[in-house]
Amino acid sequence: MSTRIRIAAFAMAAAVSLAVSAPTLAEGNLAIYAWADSISPEMVAKFEKETGIKVTVDAFSSNEDLLTKLQAGSSGYDIVTPSQHFVKIMIDSGLLEDFGASSMAAYQQVLPEWQKPWWDPSGNHSIPLAFGNAGYTVNRDLYKGPVDSWKTYFEPPAELKGKIASLAQPDEVIPAAENYLGIKYCSEDPQEMKRVLDLLLAQKPFVAAYSSDNIENRIGSGEVAAHFWWDGNTMRLRRNDKANVEYAMPKEGLVGWLDSYVVPKGASNVENAKKFISFMTQLDNATAQYNYYGHSSPVKIDESKALYNKQTAPELFPTVPVKMGQACSPAAQELVTKVWTQLLQ
């Protein structure tokens, strides 16, 4: 299901020329498994040119897919980019390398509020890549009503019935439902989680699709009028494709996320991974990555060169509470799995 993105190799002539002109050229490979379209191809090409390291980038569309691949062992990847709660799950499961991130120069580029977070308290397993929030987007050509509450999404008015789409996995949808119902994330109370299930089952007849792929086309074309989605993606669709979409600011709160560069246990090219992470956190490169990806940067950028600010990208500057997604206990995760399984059966 994942989209495969492979960065083209250099033309032979260019490679020969570079070998002569670049004394710091290093040999080797680097395999990255990242959220679809999250890594700037321009920065990958620049890194290849400066180092001689050949990079491949494959894409995933859910944390669950990534976790399953790492749990299977021998993923073949040197860098992967999970969200915060999955970083903790992977650290606790022994799936990640301690690559001494907090002692790297790259760590000094991390904004103070994102250093040694709860999901990586030593700071040695991860360097943050981007952060944002999960909510819902409406197509304003199809829906003119208010978007200041999750009620619009979970208990849709007549004009949205049958024209709503959700994600295909639960890790952000269920926390959003918990925000709406006033339930704490990762509840271990079966009665509270039954309220979540009842809400989602009542919404289900009006959901046209549960899918995490092709969202921009589904909402941008008007195939659906509302879609569970992310802040920066909405912004890019609005700016780049001139789609008449609006990202909701529900008063009950958005679901926060932060994705990080981490190194899977047993990776073949750890030093190349560290070189890439260091490269991507350099001020100009981090700025270019921010301008490409369109999600907020947890590392320092050159504000004078940044494309997005409160005026041009209000989606990136939420005006409502943002509650970061949590890593649930086994008991709580079992309830989440039961809710989602019963919803989709």
Side-chain angles (χ1 to χ4, degrees), residues 110-124:
V110 178
L111 299 179
E113 59 268 35
W114 298 116
Q115 293 187 1
K116 298 185 179 179
W118 59 262
W119 53 88
D120 183 12
S122 73
N124 282 330

Side-chain angles (χ1 to χ4, degrees), residues 40 42-43 46 280 282-294 301-302 305 307:
S40 165
E42 178 185 355
M43 288 300 98
K46 182 180 178 183
M280 292 297 283
Q282 294 171 14
L283 192 66
D284 284 347
N285 297 338
T287 306
Q289 166 65 19
Y290 171 72
N291 287 341
Y292 168 78
Y293 194 26
I301 60 174
D302 184 342
K305 298 178 182 176
L307 294 179

Side-chain angles (χ1 to χ4, degrees), residues 28-320:
N29 299 297
L30 179 68
I32 300 173
Y33 194 42
W35 289 97
D37 301 322
S38 64
I39 306 294
S40 165
E42 178 185 355
M43 288 300 98
V44 171
K46 182 180 178 183
F47 175 76
E48 289 184 318
K49 185 175 181 179
E50 289 188 5
T51 65
I53 296 169
K54 186 180 186 309
V55 180
T56 58
V57 183
D58 292 345
F60 62 82
S61 58
S62 77
N63 282 302
E64 288 83 355
D65 288 349
L66 170 59
L67 179 62
T68 298
K69 187 174 285 289
L70 295 192
Q71 287 174 328
S74 303
S75 69
Y77 293 105
D78 304 304
I79 293 176
V80 299
T81 62
S83 303
Q84 75 287 342
H85 44 328
F86 278 74
V87 170
K88 178 168 176 52
I89 292 169
M90 290 171 185
I91 291 174
D92 292 346
S93 301
L95 295 173
L96 300 183
E97 291 282 351
D98 176 344
F99 64 97
S102 65
S103 63
M104 293 170 59
Y107 206 75
Q108 301 308 310
Q109 298 299 107
V110 178
L111 299 179
E113 59 268 35
W114 298 116
Q115 293 187 1
K116 298 185 179 179
W118 59 262
W119 53 88
D120 183 12
S122 73
N124 282 330
H125 294 81
S126 64
I127 295 286
L129 187 165
F131 72 95
N133 53 77
Y136 67 96
T137 299
V138 295
N139 185 317
R140 280 305 193 187
D141 291 332
L142 301 174
Y143 174 70
K144 309 293 185 185
V147 291
D148 60 349
S149 170
W150 279 108
K151 183 177 179 62
T152 299
Y153 182 76
F154 287 119
E155 301 180 284
E159 57 265 48
L160 288 179
K161 290 182 177 178
K163 299 178 181 178
I164 285 176
S166 181
L167 299 182
Q169 64 284 329
D171 72 316
E172 287 169 328
V173 176
I174 286 183
E178 290 170 330
N179 280 348
Y180 177 49
L181 296 172
I183 297 172
K184 291 183 178 178
Y185 293 168
C186 298
S187 173
E188 296 182 3
D189 184 338
Q191 292 306 311
E192 288 187 335
M193 294 308 290
K194 184 177 185 304
R195 291 177 59 205
V196 172
L197 175 60
D198 289 345
L199 177 71
L200 296 176
L201 286 174
Q203 181 203 34
K204 185 176 180 179
F206 312 127
V207 177
Y210 291 91
S211 173
S212 301
D213 297 320
N214 201 32
I215 296 174
E216 62 274 18
N217 289 330
R218 196 174 296 115
I219 185 70
S221 70
E223 179 181 334
V224 297
H227 211 306
F228 200 103
W229 214 17
W230 299 282
D231 53 344
N233 300 74
T234 300
M235 183 272 292
R236 286 178 1 220
L237 182 65
R238 178 179 58 77
R239 284 175 57 98
N240 298 342
D241 296 346
K242 311 304 180 187
N244 189 16
V245 295
E246 180 178 350
Y247 191 66
M249 291 290 167
K251 59 190 176 187
E252 300 89 356
L254 295 159
V255 182
W257 58 264
L258 182 144
D259 299 333
S260 294
Y261 300 106
V262 301
V263 178
K265 200 75 170 181
S268 301
N269 302 294
V270 175
E271 291 307 312
N272 287 349
K274 293 171 68 173
K275 287 177 182 176
F276 184 80
I277 294 168
S278 295
F279 171 87
M280 292 297 283
T281 57
Q282 294 171 14
L283 192 66
D284 284 347
N285 297 338
T287 306
Q289 166 65 19
Y290 171 72
N291 287 341
Y292 168 78
Y293 194 26
H295 287 291
S296 299
S297 176
V299 300
K300 298 171 186 174
I301 60 174
D302 184 342
E303 298 289 349
S304 69
K305 298 178 182 176
L307 294 179
Y308 315 124
N309 53 46
K310 287 184 178 180
Q311 287 68 47
T312 62
E315 296 92 342
L316 306 187
F317 300 88
T319 56
V320 297

